[in-house]
Amino acid sequence: MAALGVLALLLGVLLILVEAHAPTAGVLSGISVLAIAAGVWMLFVAGGAAETLAVPIAAGTAVVGLGVTAVAGRKVIAARREPVRGGAQSLVDREATVTSWSGSQGQVQADGGLWRARIEFGYDADPAPTAGDPVVVTGVHGLTLAVRRAQPWEVR
């Protein structure tokens, strides 16, 4: 019985490691918590502890573990629904500053880096932006940012 308890504990730990590398939103973690609780129960019973002691300890282990798994699983599912906040796509709707401009294309500084930029919406009648003018990034096309003039209320 003790060997089976140790095997259940090892299986539970192995499933947690698999969950860490192949996230299943808590499915494998839930199974691993149940395996660990069963392993704890088997070890207590094999060690000569009374059922009145082994059952509450195993149940407590299972309840705490499943509670942690449920909270973590909900956070994983919520994070999957969030928009991308990293990489070039994180620049969309952020302010940039023009460093140089010529015609409809130029260079802007956004998020600490220099980017090629072009005016997204036609401002043919307006004068070209000058160095230091604020613009807002409306999209990312490869390594070129699509920008528009910042409205007065958007400027920090």
Side-chain angles (χ1 to χ4, degrees):
M1 186 81 135
L4 194 56
V6 170
L7 184 64
L9 285 174
L10 291 175
L11 176 68
V13 171
L14 179 68
L15 287 175
I16 288 175
L17 291 174
V18 170
E19 172 78 26
H21 294 287
T24 61
V27 174
L28 287 180
S29 294
I31 295 169
S32 70
V33 165
L34 295 177
I36 289 172
V40 166
W41 176 78
M42 287 182 224
L43 287 176
F44 270 93
V45 169
E51 287 285 328
T52 57
L53 180 64
V55 170
I57 291 175
T61 302
V63 167
V64 170
L66 290 174
V68 169
T69 299
V71 170
R74 287 187 66 172
K75 291 201 176 281
V76 166
I77 291 170
R80 286 183 181 171
R81 294 184 183 137
E82 291 291 318
V84 176
R85 294 187 189 176
Q89 290 299 323
S90 67
L91 294 173
V92 176
D93 293 330
R94 294 185 66 191
E95 185 180 326
T97 305
V98 174
T99 56
S100 65
W101 202 268
S102 175
S104 64
Q105 295 185 346
Q107 192 174 44
V108 297
Q109 182 174 7
D111 200 31
L114 292 176
W115 293 79
R116 280 183 291 174
R118 63 178 174 76
I119 292 287
E120 176 76 8
F121 302 106
Y123 286 96
D124 297 331
D126 292 343
T130 59
D133 285 352
V135 291
V136 175
V137 178
T138 58
V140 180
H141 307 288
L143 295 176
T144 303
L145 301 180
V147 298
R148 65 171 171 78
R149 291 187 188 279
Q151 300 296 322
W153 56 270
E154 293 178 302
V155 179
R156 287 186 252 160

